[in-house]
Amino acid sequence: MAATLFAAIDVGSYELELTIYEISPKKGIVQLDRMRKVIGLGRDTYDRGIISYDRVDEMCKLLLRFKGVMTEYQVDGYKAYGTSAIREAENRDVVLDQIKVRTGIVVDILSNSEQRFLCYKAIAAKENEFNNMIQKGTAIAEVGSGSMQISLFDKDALVTTQNLKLGALRIHQILAGMGGTEKEKKQLIQELIDNDIQTFKKLFLKDREVKNIIATGVCALYLGRGAHADKQKITAEEFQEFYESLRDLNEDQVSQKYDIPSEFVSLIVPGAMVYRKLIEVTGAEMIWLPGVRLGDGIVAEYAEQKKLIRFTHDFSQDILVAARNIAKRYMSNKNHSAILEKNVLAIFDGVKKYHGLGKRERLLLQICAILHDCGKYISIRTPGECAYNIIMSTEIIGISHREREIIANVVKYNTMEFDYTAASYTLTKEMRIIIAKLTAILKVANAMDRSHKQKFKNVRVSVKDQQMFLTTDSDENIMLEESQFRQKADFFEEVYGIRPVLKKKKGIESHAR
């Protein structure tokens, strides 16, 4: 198979970056070229809420240069992504339209969870190091320009991921308009950082042991230059030595001493302070600086989707573990959710030719089953509305904002009558159809365990003569389930045109009519 050339464009909060990669079965992913320029979109967004015309003009001119490089390399494909600076800008739609009209480049916006998931994939591409490190308690800490993401691993499983607004550029901009000496400003930064990370510790660390920190993001790239640049792994003591030498220097001295470009120096001190505090509260002993960037995650995802490379790590399981931890936080019924998860997947697979959905929608349905009753933690009377609000307020790593809306609506309508005309400018026609299809499956499967006694443990699904037979060998009394099933079957038939039927293996049928 011939090598594939791919271009990754990162429209970041602090800089624009183009990276050209070669992907081949023999060599894997190899970087061929990289160019970047500081542009500071985040300065506009974090200060004023919008990106100025001058900044858009500068960005378009740079992207046209990138396009010329892509043409020279004759790339087979490209992806361009914007992160928090564009994501949070009030005029983002106008900015994206200007980029498309003036350059022909389509920039997609990454949700925070998608952005962090791509960086996570970039680390996982270094399979040997990554798999060895996460066997012990590990935190991936990405301090970017706009925010910080902390993801906790325990024995190869992703436990939780949380976003804190502790980006180095954001912190720098908050303090830029304040008076006072450099020493006083650093004290203010420390207070800001201490409050947020201590809150994270109380909520998510508790008795959890963190031995290693994997540091990524623009700050980590340049911190490595000072903290033993010859090594990717450094001890907590080595990092502390670097921090002690850094904190008493001004920006010019930092630039000269550690050979850091002047335009990046303003990010180094806030970034170092964030990492130092995290090391302190976790008690981590080792810091790994893998040197990955967002472009490395973009190409990793592209190569995986095109089946050009294969990861041994199962990323779907990380998403499901994250969902199960959310369900645990809201005290969901574990046994009920487990059987519901099993049955919704059986139904989904059994009516595949009727719904026309794919693996991704199957994963979303699985998450719906896991989170379907989290709203009861807030209110038993209105669990659907409460669950919707919980899901829309909670990040699930690897799940986009659009997908989170689908999940939240499916869970909401699990306990409410489905509303085809519900007004929501964020829901497209395609999303509404997916929501209806997944809701129909969830309603029927949930009715099968109305008693929460898991009476239908071995369900076989078959479709014949416009009927979907759900066959079980349960010998328990299922009158409650039958009653609920009849109510939910109408909506399923409305969506799919086939009638669900409960059927006992012994030959006793219970028709949902």
Side-chain angles (χ1 to χ4, degrees):
M1 183 184 293
T4 299
L5 292 180
F6 177 79
I9 299 175
D10 174 9
V11 184
S13 302
Y14 197 68
E15 61 181 346
L16 265 65
E17 182 173 88
L18 167 71
T19 314
I20 306 292
Y21 299 92
E22 182 181 80
I23 312 167
S24 66
K26 185 176 181 180
K27 296 182 179 179
I29 299 172
V30 178
Q31 179 186 315
L32 299 181
D33 200 357
R34 172 173 282 158
M35 58 186 295
R36 63 182 186 271
K37 188 178 189 303
V38 172
I39 194 169
L41 295 179
R43 295 187 190 278
D44 280 3
T45 300
Y46 308 147
D47 281 351
R48 302 167 52 224
I50 63 172
I51 298 173
S52 68
Y53 175 80
D54 288 343
R55 199 78 75 180
V56 173
D57 186 56
E58 182 184 3
M59 179 168 43
C60 287
K61 289 175 180 176
L62 184 56
L63 287 172
L64 280 171
R65 287 176 53 197
F66 285 0
K67 190 174 182 179
V69 174
M70 290 159 58
T71 300
E72 288 176 13
Y73 274 98
Q74 297 182 329
V75 298
D76 299 292
Y78 83 93
K79 286 297 294 185
Y81 286 123
T83 55
S84 64
I86 295 185
R87 185 169 65 235
E88 296 178 24
E90 295 172 14
N91 64 334
R92 60 184 172 275
D93 292 336
V94 172
V95 171
L96 295 175
D97 182 69
Q98 278 290 297
I99 292 172
K100 183 178 179 181
V101 169
R102 293 177 58 179
T103 70
I105 293 174
V106 177
V107 177
D108 294 318
I109 301 299
L110 287 173
S111 68
N112 179 69
S113 60
E114 289 176 300
Q115 177 185 344
R116 308 308 175 173
F117 200 55
L118 286 178
C119 290
Y120 167 38
K121 280 192 172 183
I123 301 167
K126 300 174 180 288
E127 291 188 325
N128 291 335
E129 290 282 0
F130 176 72
N131 291 332
N132 288 337
M133 185 159 281
I134 62 173
Q135 296 308 310
K136 297 180 180 178
T138 297
I140 297 179
E142 181 183 353
V143 179
S145 302
S147 64
M148 173 192 191
Q149 192 81 13
I150 308 176
S151 303
L152 298 178
F153 283 84
D154 188 14
K155 295 178 182 176
D156 197 30
L158 179 64
V159 177
T160 188
T161 182
Q162 298 295 321
N163 185 254
L164 289 68
K165 289 201 171 181
L166 291 177
L169 178 59
R170 192 186 296 271
I171 293 171
H172 186 268
Q173 291 301 100
I174 289 172
L175 299 176
M178 296 183 181
T181 64
E182 286 299 314
K183 185 176 180 180
E184 288 172 331
K185 286 184 177 180
K186 287 178 182 176
Q187 179 60 37
L188 290 173
I189 293 174
Q190 195 64 63
E191 291 175 6
L192 183 68
I193 294 168
D194 286 358
N195 179 60
D196 282 7
I197 293 187
Q198 285 293 349
T199 301
F200 174 82
K201 179 182 180 181
K202 290 176 187 176
L203 293 175
F204 301 104
L205 286 177
K206 296 182 181 178
D207 299 326
R208 195 172 301 284
E209 185 179 63
V210 175
K211 290 287 188 181
N212 307 306
I213 290 176
I214 303 175
T216 65
V218 64
C219 294
L221 290 169
Y222 288 103
L223 285 175
R225 291 195 177 189
H228 296 266
D230 57 322
K231 299 193 295 184
Q232 279 198 336
K233 291 182 180 178
I234 59 174
T235 65
E237 290 77 16
E238 288 171 331
F239 181 87
Q240 182 63 28
E241 289 173 10
F242 164 65
Y243 177 78
E244 293 291 339
S245 67
L246 182 71
R247 66 179 183 177
D248 295 325
L249 302 176
N250 61 37
E251 291 187 359
D252 288 340
Q253 291 169 327
V254 170
S255 179
Q256 292 174 12
K257 183 172 181 178
Y258 297 112
D259 190 28
I260 295 173
S262 57
E263 60 266 30
F264 289 100
V265 172
S266 61
L267 307 183
I268 296 305
V269 173
M273 294 175 79
V274 171
Y275 280 119
R276 176 189 170 276
K277 185 63 181 180
L278 184 63
I279 292 168
E280 177 188 310
V281 300
T282 59
E285 300 169 358
M286 183 68 67
I287 300 94
W288 179 30
L289 301 159
V292 298
R293 307 176 77 97
L294 180 59
D296 301 326
I298 295 172
V299 69
E301 181 178 70
Y302 175 85
E304 182 187 27
Q305 289 175 345
K306 297 293 184 180
K307 295 182 170 52
L308 301 172
I309 63 171
R310 177 182 288 180
F311 287 102
T312 58
H313 189 80
D314 189 342
F315 295 102
S316 293
Q317 282 303 311
D318 289 323
I319 295 172
L320 292 172
V321 170
R324 291 189 182 105
N325 278 297
I326 295 168
K328 182 179 179 182
R329 191 188 316 161
Y330 291 100
M331 301 178 70
S332 296
N333 185 317
K334 185 177 178 181
N335 291 334
H336 171 60
S337 294
I339 197 66
L340 180 59
E341 192 178 337
K342 180 180 178 182
N343 288 341
V344 296
L345 294 181
I347 296 172
F348 184 94
D349 295 340
V351 295
K352 187 178 294 184
K353 73 175 185 178
Y354 292 88
H355 57 58
L357 303 177
K359 286 177 61 178
R360 191 66 181 181
E361 289 78 20
R362 189 180 190 272
L363 176 65
L364 299 185
L365 177 60
Q366 201 169 352
I367 296 170
C368 292
I370 293 168
L371 298 178
H372 79 285
D373 67 350
C374 64
K376 291 180 181 177
Y377 183 86
I378 307 297
S379 171
I380 295 176
R381 189 172 65 87
T382 58
E385 290 285 358
C386 293
Y388 176 91
N389 291 326
I390 287 171
I391 293 166
M392 290 306 296
S393 302
T394 307
E395 281 196 335
I396 306 172
I397 192 167
I399 296 297
S400 68
H401 182 82
R402 171 186 173 278
E403 291 173 327
R404 194 146 39 104
E405 278 198 286
I406 290 172
I407 295 166
N409 276 283
V410 172
V411 170
K412 179 173 77 171
Y413 288 121
N414 175 54
T415 55
M416 297 172 60
E417 185 174 346
F418 194 84
D419 187 353
Y420 289 101
T421 62
S424 175
Y425 69 91
T426 60
L427 294 179
T428 64
K429 178 182 176 182
E430 179 193 13
M431 290 169 70
R432 291 174 189 274
I433 293 171
I434 294 172
I435 290 166
K437 289 178 178 180
L438 299 187
T439 300
I441 294 174
L442 185 63
K443 281 177 175 286
V444 165
N446 199 29
M448 291 164 62
D449 194 39
R450 182 63 182 85
S451 65
H452 286 208
K453 291 185 177 180
Q454 295 81 59
K455 298 174 185 176
F456 296 84
K457 292 180 180 177
N458 299 300
V459 175
R460 289 169 296 286
V461 182
S462 60
V463 180
K464 184 179 180 181
D465 299 329
Q466 298 305 112
Q467 291 182 309
M468 176 181 69
F469 295 98
L470 300 168
T471 307
T472 177
D473 54 9
S474 174
D475 58 0
E476 297 187 55
N477 186 323
I478 61 169
M479 290 180 64
L480 176 60
E481 281 72 23
E482 286 181 306
S483 173
Q484 291 294 309
F485 194 89
R486 279 191 291 270
Q487 295 177 35
K488 308 305 180 185
D490 289 341
F491 181 64
F492 190 96
E493 186 175 21
E494 191 177 294
V495 172
Y496 290 103
I498 52 178
R499 185 75 181 177
V501 176
L502 279 180
K503 184 177 181 180
K504 281 195 173 185
K505 190 177 180 181
K506 294 178 180 179
I508 303 174
E509 289 193 13
S510 298
H511 292 263
R513 288 178 176 153

